[in-house]
Amino acid sequence: MTAQDYDSQLLESVSVRRRRLRDALVFGAQRQRRAVDERMGKAVAGMVIAAVLCAGCVGWSFVSHRLIGQDPYSPGVSTPSDSPTSR
């Protein structure tokens, strides 16, 4: 093993030890709970992002129909069944 390999291994082990100490200080002994909390946080964040995207689509549709001047609930083209028949 060369001196440079030893130095890089030593630096890497020091950084791993610091990260483990920081994680132990921040999260404590409840490592399993931290993993569950992170997964729940990601799930909630995903649902929030999906809700914001849906609201954005609805808002965009409303604004585009308002700018066009068309009522979004009225049919765009009249169909023959809408016209009065002569009987």
Side-chain angles (χ1 to χ4, degrees):
M1 182 184 278
T2 64
Q4 188 175 8
D5 292 338
Y6 178 75
D7 290 343
S8 64
Q9 184 180 7
L10 181 64
L11 290 173
E12 184 177 348
S13 68
V14 168
S15 68
V16 168
R17 182 176 295 132
R18 285 182 182 169
R19 185 184 48 190
R20 286 182 181 169
L21 283 172
R22 183 188 67 229
D23 288 346
L25 178 67
V26 171
F27 299 111
Q30 300 176 348
R31 287 187 146 172
Q32 185 64 22
R33 183 174 177 189
R34 175 176 52 123
V36 171
D37 287 345
E38 286 177 355
R39 283 188 225 122
M40 286 300 294
K42 289 178 183 179
V44 169
M47 287 190 279
V48 167
I49 290 171
V52 167
L53 286 174
C54 288
C57 289
V58 169
W60 178 259
S61 175
F62 177 76
V63 168
S64 65
H65 280 96
R66 292 289 280 185
L67 290 176
I68 293 171
Q70 179 184 2
D71 185 18
Y73 300 110
S74 66
V77 177
S78 64
T79 59
S81 62
D82 289 342
S83 62
T85 59
S86 58
R87 283 195 216 174

Coordinates of all heavy atoms in Angstrom, one line a residue:
M1 N 0.8 -1.2 0.0 CA 0.0 0.0 0.0 C 0.9 1.2 0.0 O 1.8 1.3 0.8 CB -0.9 0.0 1.2 CG -1.9 1.1 1.3 SD -2.9 1.2 2.8 CE -4.1 0.0 2.3
T2 N 0.6 2.1 -0.9 CA 1.4 3.4 -1.0 C 0.9 4.4 0.0 O -0.1 4.3 0.6 CB 1.4 4.0 -2.4 OG1 0.1 4.4 -2.6 CG2 1.8 2.9 -3.4
A3 N 1.7 5.4 0.2 CA 1.4 6.4 1.2 C 0.1 7.2 0.7 O -0.7 7.6 1.6 CB 2.6 7.4 1.4
Q4 N 0.0 7.4 -0.6 CA -1.1 8.1 -1.1 C -2.4 7.3 -0.9 O -3.5 7.9 -0.5 CB -1.0 8.5 -2.6 CG -2.1 9.4 -3.1 CD -1.8 9.8 -4.5 OE1 -0.9 9.2 -5.2 NE2 -2.6 10.7 -5.0
D5 N -2.4 6.0 -1.1 CA -3.6 5.2 -0.8 C -4.0 5.2 0.7 O -5.1 5.3 1.0 CB -3.3 3.7 -1.2 CG -3.2 3.6 -2.7 OD1 -3.7 4.4 -3.5 OD2 -2.5 2.6 -3.2
Y6 N -3.0 5.2 1.5 CA -3.2 5.2 2.9 C -3.9 6.5 3.3 O -4.8 6.6 4.1 CB -1.9 5.0 3.7 CG -2.1 5.1 5.2 CD1 -2.7 4.0 5.9 CD2 -1.7 6.2 5.9 CE1 -2.9 4.1 7.3 CE2 -1.9 6.3 7.3 CZ -2.5 5.2 8.0 OH -2.7 5.3 9.3
D7 N -3.4 7.6 2.8 CA -3.9 8.9 3.1 C -5.4 9.1 2.6 O -6.2 9.6 3.3 CB -3.1 10.0 2.4 CG -1.7 10.2 3.1 OD1 -1.5 9.7 4.2 OD2 -0.8 10.8 2.4
S8 N -5.6 8.6 1.4 CA -7.0 8.7 0.9 C -7.9 7.8 1.7 O -9.1 8.2 2.0 CB -7.1 8.4 -0.6 OG -6.7 7.0 -0.8
Q9 N -7.5 6.6 2.1 CA -8.3 5.7 3.0 C -8.6 6.4 4.3 O -9.7 6.3 4.8 CB -7.6 4.4 3.1 CG -8.4 3.4 3.9 CD -7.7 2.1 4.0 OE1 -6.6 2.0 3.7 NE2 -8.4 1.1 4.5
L10 N -7.6 7.0 4.9 CA -7.7 7.7 6.2 C -8.7 8.8 6.1 O -9.6 9.0 6.9 CB -6.4 8.2 6.7 CG -6.3 8.9 8.0 CD1 -6.8 7.9 9.1 CD2 -5.0 9.4 8.3
L11 N -8.6 9.6 5.0 CA -9.5 10.8 4.9 C -11.0 10.3 4.7 O -11.9 10.8 5.2 CB -9.1 11.6 3.7 CG -7.8 12.4 3.9 CD1 -7.4 13.1 2.6 CD2 -8.0 13.4 5.0
E12 N -11.1 9.2 3.9 CA -12.5 8.7 3.7 C -13.1 8.1 5.0 O -14.2 8.3 5.3 CB -12.4 7.5 2.7 CG -13.8 7.0 2.3 CD -13.7 5.9 1.2 OE1 -12.6 5.8 0.6 OE2 -14.7 5.3 1.0
S13 N -12.2 7.4 5.8 CA -12.8 6.9 7.1 C -13.1 8.0 8.0 O -14.1 7.9 8.8 CB -11.7 5.9 7.7 OG -10.6 6.6 8.1
V14 N -12.3 9.1 8.0 CA -12.7 10.2 8.9 C -14.0 10.9 8.4 O -14.8 11.2 9.3 CB -11.5 11.2 8.9 CG1 -11.9 12.5 9.5 CG2 -10.3 10.7 9.6
S15 N -14.2 11.0 7.1 CA -15.5 11.6 6.7 C -16.6 10.7 7.0 O -17.7 11.2 7.4 CB -15.4 11.9 5.2 OG -15.4 10.7 4.4
V16 N -16.5 9.4 6.9 CA -17.6 8.4 7.2 C -17.9 8.5 8.7 O -19.0 8.6 9.1 CB -17.2 7.0 6.8 CG1 -18.2 6.0 7.5 CG2 -17.2 6.8 5.3
R17 N -16.8 8.6 9.6 CA -17.0 8.7 11.0 C -17.7 10.0 11.3 O -18.7 10.0 12.2 CB -15.7 8.6 11.7 CG -15.8 8.7 13.2 CD -14.5 8.5 14.0 NE -14.0 7.2 13.7 CZ -12.7 6.9 13.3 NH1 -11.9 7.9 13.2 NH2 -12.3 5.7 13.1
R18 N -17.4 11.1 10.7 CA -18.0 12.4 11.0 C -19.5 12.3 10.6 O -20.4 12.8 11.3 CB -17.3 13.5 10.3 CG -16.0 13.9 10.9 CD -15.4 15.1 10.2 NE -14.1 15.4 10.8 CZ -13.3 16.2 10.2 NH1 -13.5 16.8 9.0 NH2 -12.1 16.5 10.8
R19 N -19.8 11.7 9.4 CA -21.2 11.6 9.0 C -22.0 10.8 10.0 O -23.1 11.1 10.3 CB -21.2 11.1 7.6 CG -22.6 11.1 7.0 CD -22.7 10.4 5.7 NE -22.0 9.1 5.9 CZ -21.6 8.3 4.9 NH1 -21.9 8.6 3.6 NH2 -21.0 7.2 5.1
R20 N -21.4 9.7 10.4 CA -22.2 8.8 11.4 C -22.4 9.5 12.7 O -23.5 9.4 13.3 CB -21.4 7.5 11.6 CG -21.5 6.6 10.4 CD -20.7 5.3 10.7 NE -20.8 4.4 9.6 CZ -20.0 3.3 9.5 NH1 -19.2 3.0 10.4 NH2 -20.1 2.6 8.4
L21 N -21.4 10.3 13.2 CA -21.6 11.0 14.4 C -22.6 12.1 14.2 O -23.5 12.3 15.1 CB -20.2 11.7 14.8 CG -19.3 10.7 15.5 CD1 -17.9 11.4 15.7 CD2 -19.8 10.2 16.8
R22 N -22.6 12.8 13.1 CA -23.6 13.8 12.8 C -25.0 13.2 12.8 O -26.0 13.8 13.3 CB -23.3 14.6 11.5 CG -24.3 15.7 11.2 CD -24.1 16.3 9.9 NE -24.5 15.3 8.9 CZ -23.7 14.9 7.8 NH1 -22.6 15.5 7.6 NH2 -24.1 14.0 7.0
D23 N -25.2 12.1 12.1 CA -26.5 11.4 12.0 C -26.9 11.0 13.4 O -28.1 11.1 13.7 CB -26.4 10.3 11.0 CG -26.3 10.7 9.6 OD1 -26.5 11.9 9.3 OD2 -26.0 9.8 8.8
A24 N -26.0 10.5 14.2 CA -26.4 10.0 15.5 C -26.8 11.2 16.4 O -27.8 11.1 17.2 CB -25.2 9.3 16.2
L25 N -26.2 12.3 16.2 CA -26.5 13.5 17.0 C -27.9 14.1 16.5 O -28.7 14.5 17.4 CB -25.4 14.6 16.8 CG -25.7 15.9 17.5 CD1 -25.6 15.7 19.0 CD2 -24.7 17.0 17.1
V26 N -28.1 14.1 15.3 CA -29.3 14.7 14.7 C -30.5 13.8 15.0 O -31.6 14.2 15.4 CB -29.2 15.0 13.2 CG1 -30.5 15.4 12.6 CG2 -28.2 16.1 13.0
F27 N -30.4 12.5 14.7 CA -31.5 11.6 14.7 C -31.6 10.7 15.9 O -32.6 10.1 16.1 CB -31.5 10.7 13.4 CG -31.6 11.5 12.2 CD1 -30.5 11.6 11.3 CD2 -32.8 12.2 11.8 CE1 -30.6 12.3 10.1 CE2 -32.9 12.9 10.7 CZ -31.8 12.9 9.8
G28 N -30.5 10.6 16.6 CA -30.5 9.7 17.8 C -30.5 8.3 17.5 O -30.1 7.8 16.5
A29 N -31.0 7.5 18.4 CA -31.0 6.0 18.3 C -32.1 5.5 17.5 O -32.2 4.3 17.3 CB -31.0 5.4 19.7
Q30 N -33.1 6.3 17.0 CA -34.2 5.8 16.3 C -34.0 5.8 14.8 O -34.7 6.5 14.1 CB -35.4 6.7 16.7 CG -35.8 6.7 18.2 CD -36.9 7.6 18.5 OE1 -37.3 8.4 17.7 NE2 -37.4 7.5 19.7
R31 N -33.1 5.0 14.4 CA -32.8 4.9 13.0 C -33.9 4.4 12.1 O -34.2 4.9 11.1 CB -31.6 4.1 12.7 CG -30.3 4.7 13.2 CD -29.2 3.9 12.7 NE -28.0 4.7 12.4 CZ -26.8 4.3 12.2 NH1 -26.6 3.0 12.2 NH2 -25.9 5.2 11.9
Q32 N -34.6 3.4 12.6 CA -35.7 2.8 11.9 C -36.9 3.8 11.8 O -37.5 3.9 10.7 CB -36.2 1.5 12.6 CG -37.3 0.8 11.9 CD -36.8 0.2 10.5 OE1 -35.6 0.0 10.3 NE2 -37.7 0.0 9.6
R33 N -37.1 4.5 12.8 CA -38.2 5.5 12.7 C -37.8 6.6 11.7 O -38.7 7.1 11.0 CB -38.4 6.2 14.1 CG -39.5 7.1 14.1 CD -39.8 7.6 15.5 NE -40.9 8.6 15.4 CZ -41.2 9.4 16.4 NH1 -40.7 9.2 17.6 NH2 -42.2 10.3 16.3
R34 N -36.6 7.0 11.7 CA -36.1 8.0 10.7 C -36.4 7.5 9.3 O -36.9 8.3 8.4 CB -34.6 8.3 10.9 CG -34.1 9.2 9.8 CD -32.6 9.5 10.1 NE -31.8 8.4 10.2 CZ -30.8 8.1 9.5 NH1 -30.4 8.9 8.6 NH2 -30.0 7.0 9.7
A35 N -36.2 6.2 9.0 CA -36.4 5.7 7.6 C -37.9 5.8 7.3 O -38.3 6.1 6.2 CB -35.9 4.3 7.5
V36 N -38.8 5.4 8.3 CA -40.2 5.5 8.1 C -40.7 6.9 7.9 O -41.5 7.2 7.0 CB -40.9 4.8 9.2 CG1 -42.4 5.0 9.1 CG2 -40.6 3.3 9.2
D37 N -40.1 7.8 8.7 CA -40.5 9.2 8.6 C -40.1 9.8 7.2 O -40.8 10.6 6.7 CB -39.9 10.0 9.7 CG -40.5 9.8 11.1 OD1 -41.6 9.2 11.1 OD2 -39.9 10.1 12.1
E38 N -38.9 9.4 6.8 CA -38.5 9.9 5.5 C -39.4 9.4 4.3 O -39.8 10.2 3.4 CB -37.0 9.5 5.2 CG -36.0 10.3 6.0 CD -34.6 9.8 5.8 OE1 -34.4 8.8 5.1 OE2 -33.7 10.4 6.4
R39 N -39.8 8.1 4.4 CA -40.7 7.6 3.4 C -42.1 8.3 3.4 O -42.6 8.6 2.4 CB -40.9 6.1 3.6 CG -39.7 5.3 3.1 CD -39.9 3.8 3.1 NE -38.7 3.2 3.7 CZ -38.7 2.4 4.7 NH1 -39.8 2.2 5.4 NH2 -37.6 1.9 5.2
M40 N -42.6 8.5 4.6 CA -43.9 9.2 4.7 C -43.8 10.6 4.2 O -44.7 11.1 3.6 CB -44.3 9.2 6.2 CG -44.8 7.8 6.7 SD -46.2 7.2 5.7 CE -47.5 8.4 6.2
G41 N -42.7 11.3 4.5 CA -42.5 12.6 4.0 C -42.4 12.7 2.5 O -43.0 13.6 1.9
K42 N -41.8 11.7 1.9 CA -41.7 11.7 0.5 C -43.1 11.4 -0.1 O -43.4 11.9 -1.2 CB -40.7 10.6 0.0 CG -39.3 11.0 0.3 CD -38.3 10.0 -0.1 CE -36.9 10.4 0.2 NZ -35.9 9.3 -0.2
A43 N -43.9 10.5 0.5 CA -45.2 10.2 0.0 C -46.1 11.4 0.1 O -46.8 11.8 -0.8 CB -45.8 9.1 0.8
V44 N -46.0 12.2 1.2 CA -46.8 13.4 1.4 C -46.4 14.4 0.4 O -47.2 15.1 -0.2 CB -46.8 13.9 2.8 CG1 -47.4 15.3 3.0 CG2 -47.4 12.9 3.8
A45 N -45.1 14.6 0.2 CA -44.6 15.5 -0.8 C -45.1 15.2 -2.2 O -45.5 16.1 -3.0 CB -43.1 15.6 -0.7
G46 N -45.1 13.9 -2.5 CA -45.6 13.5 -3.9 C -47.1 13.8 -4.0 O -47.5 14.3 -5.1
M47 N -47.9 13.6 -3.0 CA -49.3 13.9 -3.1 C -49.5 15.4 -3.2 O -50.4 15.9 -4.0 CB -50.0 13.4 -1.9 CG -50.2 11.9 -1.9 SD -51.3 11.2 -0.7 CE -50.2 11.2 0.7
V48 N -48.7 16.2 -2.5 CA -48.8 17.7 -2.6 C -48.5 18.1 -4.0 O -49.2 19.0 -4.6 CB -48.0 18.4 -1.5 CG1 -47.8 19.8 -1.8 CG2 -48.6 18.1 -0.2
I49 N -47.4 17.6 -4.6 CA -47.0 18.0 -5.9 C -48.1 17.6 -6.9 O -48.4 18.4 -7.8 CB -45.6 17.3 -6.3 CG1 -44.5 18.0 -5.5 CG2 -45.4 17.4 -7.8 CD1 -43.2 17.3 -5.6
A50 N -48.7 16.4 -6.8 CA -49.7 16.0 -7.7 C -51.0 16.9 -7.6 O -51.6 17.3 -8.6 CB -50.1 14.5 -7.4
A51 N -51.3 17.3 -6.3 CA -52.4 18.2 -6.2 C -52.2 19.6 -6.8 O -53.1 20.2 -7.4 CB -52.7 18.3 -4.7
V52 N -51.0 20.1 -6.6 CA -50.6 21.3 -7.2 C -50.7 21.3 -8.8 O -51.2 22.2 -9.4 CB -49.2 21.8 -6.7 CG1 -48.7 23.0 -7.5 CG2 -49.3 22.2 -5.3
L53 N -50.2 20.2 -9.3 CA -50.2 20.0 -10.8 C -51.7 19.9 -11.3 O -52.0 20.5 -12.3 CB -49.5 18.8 -11.2 CG -48.0 18.9 -11.2 CD1 -47.3 17.5 -11.5 CD2 -47.5 19.9 -12.1
C54 N -52.5 19.2 -10.6 CA -54.0 19.1 -10.9 C -54.6 20.5 -10.9 O -55.4 20.9 -11.8 CB -54.7 18.1 -10.1 SG -54.3 16.4 -10.4
A55 N -54.4 21.2 -9.8 CA -54.9 22.6 -9.7 C -54.4 23.5 -10.8 O -55.2 24.3 -11.3 CB -54.6 23.1 -8.3
G56 N -53.2 23.3 -11.1 CA -52.6 24.1 -12.2 C -53.3 23.8 -13.5 O -53.6 24.8 -14.3
C57 N -53.6 22.6 -13.8 CA -54.3 22.2 -15.1 C -55.7 22.8 -15.1 O -56.1 23.3 -16.1 CB -54.3 20.7 -15.2 SG -52.7 20.0 -15.6
V58 N -56.4 22.7 -14.0 CA -57.7 23.2 -13.9 C -57.7 24.7 -14.1 O -58.5 25.3 -14.8 CB -58.4 22.8 -12.6 CG1 -59.7 23.6 -12.4 CG2 -58.7 21.3 -12.6
G59 N -56.8 25.4 -13.4 CA -56.7 26.8 -13.6 C -56.3 27.3 -15.0 O -56.9 28.2 -15.5
W60 N -55.4 26.5 -15.6 CA -55.0 26.8 -17.0 C -56.2 26.7 -17.9 O -56.5 27.5 -18.8 CB -53.9 26.0 -17.4 CG -53.5 26.2 -18.8 CD1 -53.8 25.5 -19.9 CD2 -52.7 27.3 -19.3 NE1 -53.3 26.1 -21.1 CE2 -52.6 27.2 -20.7 CE3 -52.1 28.4 -18.7 CZ2 -51.9 28.1 -21.5 CZ3 -51.4 29.3 -19.5 CH2 -51.3 29.1 -20.8
S61 N -57.0 25.6 -17.7 CA -58.2 25.4 -18.6 C -59.2 26.5 -18.4 O -59.8 27.1 -19.3 CB -58.8 24.1 -18.2 OG -60.0 23.9 -18.9
F62 N -59.4 26.9 -17.1 CA -60.4 28.0 -16.8 C -59.9 29.3 -17.5 O -60.7 30.0 -18.1 CB -60.5 28.2 -15.3 CG -61.4 29.3 -14.9 CD1 -62.8 29.2 -15.0 CD2 -60.9 30.5 -14.5 CE1 -63.6 30.2 -14.7 CE2 -61.7 31.6 -14.1 CZ -63.1 31.4 -14.2
V63 N -58.7 29.7 -17.3 CA -58.2 30.9 -17.8 C -58.2 30.9 -19.4 O -58.6 31.9 -20.0 CB -56.7 31.2 -17.3 CG1 -56.1 32.3 -18.1 CG2 -56.8 31.5 -15.8
S64 N -57.8 29.8 -20.0 CA -57.8 29.7 -21.4 C -59.2 29.9 -22.0 O -59.4 30.5 -23.0 CB -57.1 28.5 -21.9 OG -57.9 27.3 -21.5
H65 N -60.2 29.2 -21.3 CA -61.6 29.4 -21.8 C -62.1 30.8 -21.6 O -62.9 31.3 -22.4 CB -62.5 28.3 -21.1 CG -62.4 27.0 -21.7 ND1 -61.6 26.0 -21.2 CD2 -63.0 26.5 -22.8 CE1 -61.7 24.9 -21.9 NE2 -62.5 25.2 -22.9
R66 N -61.7 31.4 -20.5 CA -62.1 32.8 -20.3 C -61.5 33.8 -21.3 O -62.2 34.7 -21.7 CB -61.7 33.3 -18.9 CG -62.4 32.6 -17.7 CD -63.8 33.0 -17.7 NE -63.9 34.3 -17.0 CZ -65.0 34.9 -16.6 NH1 -66.2 34.3 -16.9 NH2 -65.0 36.0 -16.0
L67 N -60.3 33.5 -21.7 CA -59.7 34.4 -22.7 C -60.3 34.2 -24.1 O -60.4 35.1 -24.8 CB -58.2 34.1 -22.8 CG -57.4 34.6 -21.5 CD1 -55.9 34.2 -21.7 CD2 -57.5 36.1 -21.4
I68 N -60.7 33.0 -24.4 CA -61.3 32.7 -25.6 C -62.7 33.3 -25.6 O -63.3 33.6 -26.7 CB -61.4 31.2 -25.9 CG1 -59.9 30.7 -26.1 CG2 -62.2 30.8 -27.1 CD1 -59.9 29.1 -26.2
G69 N -63.4 33.4 -24.5 CA -64.7 33.9 -24.4 C -65.7 32.8 -24.5 O -66.9 33.0 -24.7
Q70 N -65.3 31.5 -24.3 CA -66.2 30.4 -24.4 C -66.5 29.9 -23.0 O -65.6 29.8 -22.2 CB -65.6 29.3 -25.2 CG -66.4 28.1 -25.4 CD -65.6 27.0 -26.2 OE1 -64.5 27.2 -26.5 NE2 -66.3 25.9 -26.4
D71 N -67.8 29.6 -22.7 CA -68.2 29.0 -21.5 C -67.7 27.5 -21.5 O -68.0 26.8 -22.4 CB -69.7 29.0 -21.3 CG -70.1 28.5 -20.0 OD1 -69.3 28.5 -19.0 OD2 -71.3 28.2 -19.8
P72 N -66.9 27.2 -20.4 CA -66.3 25.8 -20.5 C -67.4 24.7 -20.3 O -67.1 23.6 -20.6 CB -65.4 25.8 -19.2 CG -65.8 26.9 -18.4 CD -66.5 27.9 -19.3
Y73 N -68.6 25.0 -19.9 CA -69.6 24.0 -19.7 C -70.6 24.0 -20.8 O -71.5 23.1 -20.9 CB -70.3 24.3 -18.4 CG -69.4 24.2 -17.2 CD1 -69.1 25.4 -16.5 CD2 -68.8 23.1 -16.8 CE1 -68.2 25.4 -15.5 CE2 -67.9 23.0 -15.8 CZ -67.6 24.2 -15.1 OH -66.7 24.1 -14.1
S74 N -70.5 24.8 -21.8 CA -71.4 24.8 -22.9 C -70.7 24.0 -24.1 O -69.5 24.0 -24.2 CB -71.7 26.2 -23.5 OG -70.6 26.8 -24.0
P75 N -71.5 23.3 -24.9 CA -70.9 22.5 -26.0 C -70.3 23.5 -27.0 O -70.8 24.5 -27.3 CB -72.1 21.7 -26.5 CG -73.3 22.4 -26.1 CD -72.9 23.1 -24.8
G76 N -69.2 23.1 -27.6 CA -68.5 23.9 -28.5 C -69.2 23.9 -29.9 O -69.3 24.9 -30.5
V77 N -69.7 22.8 -30.3 CA -70.4 22.7 -31.6 C -71.8 22.2 -31.4 O -72.0 21.3 -30.6 CB -69.6 21.7 -32.5 CG1 -70.3 21.6 -33.8 CG2 -68.2 22.2 -32.7
S78 N -72.8 22.9 -32.0 CA -74.2 22.4 -31.8 C -74.4 21.1 -32.6 O -73.9 20.9 -33.7 CB -75.1 23.5 -32.3 OG -75.0 23.7 -33.7
T79 N -75.1 20.2 -32.0 CA -75.4 18.9 -32.6 C -76.8 18.9 -33.2 O -77.6 19.7 -32.7 CB -75.2 17.8 -31.6 OG1 -76.1 18.0 -30.5 CG2 -73.8 17.7 -31.1
P80 N -77.1 18.1 -34.1 CA -78.5 18.1 -34.7 C -79.5 17.8 -33.6 O -80.7 18.2 -33.8 CB -78.4 17.0 -35.7 CG -77.0 16.8 -36.0 CD -76.2 17.2 -34.8
S81 N -79.2 17.1 -32.6 CA -80.2 16.8 -31.6 C -80.6 18.0 -30.8 O -81.7 18.0 -30.2 CB -79.7 15.7 -30.6 OG -78.6 16.1 -29.9
D82 N -79.8 19.1 -30.8 CA -80.1 20.3 -30.1 C -81.0 21.2 -30.9 O -81.7 22.0 -30.3 CB -78.8 21.1 -29.8 CG -77.9 20.4 -28.7 OD1 -78.4 19.5 -28.0 OD2 -76.7 20.7 -28.7
S83 N -81.1 21.0 -32.2 CA -82.0 21.9 -33.0 C -83.4 21.4 -32.9 O -83.7 20.2 -32.8 CB -81.5 21.9 -34.4 OG -81.5 20.6 -35.0
P84 N -84.3 22.4 -33.0 CA -85.8 22.0 -32.9 C -86.1 21.2 -34.2 O -85.7 21.5 -35.2 CB -86.5 23.3 -32.8 CG -85.6 24.3 -33.2 CD -84.2 23.8 -33.0
T85 N -87.0 20.2 -34.0 CA -87.4 19.4 -35.1 C -88.9 19.9 -35.5 O -89.6 20.3 -34.7 CB -87.4 17.9 -34.8 OG1 -88.3 17.7 -33.7 CG2 -86.0 17.5 -34.5
S86 N -89.2 19.7 -36.7 CA -90.6 20.1 -37.2 C -91.4 18.8 -37.3 O -91.3 18.1 -38.3 CB -90.5 20.8 -38.5 OG -89.9 20.0 -39.5
R87 N -92.2 18.5 -36.3 CA -93.1 17.4 -36.3 C -94.5 17.8 -36.3 O -95.0 18.7 -35.7 CB -92.9 16.5 -35.2 CG -91.6 15.6 -35.4 CD -91.7 14.5 -34.4 NE -90.3 14.2 -33.9 CZ -90.0 13.4 -33.0 NH1 -91.0 12.8 -32.4 NH2 -88.8 13.1 -32.7

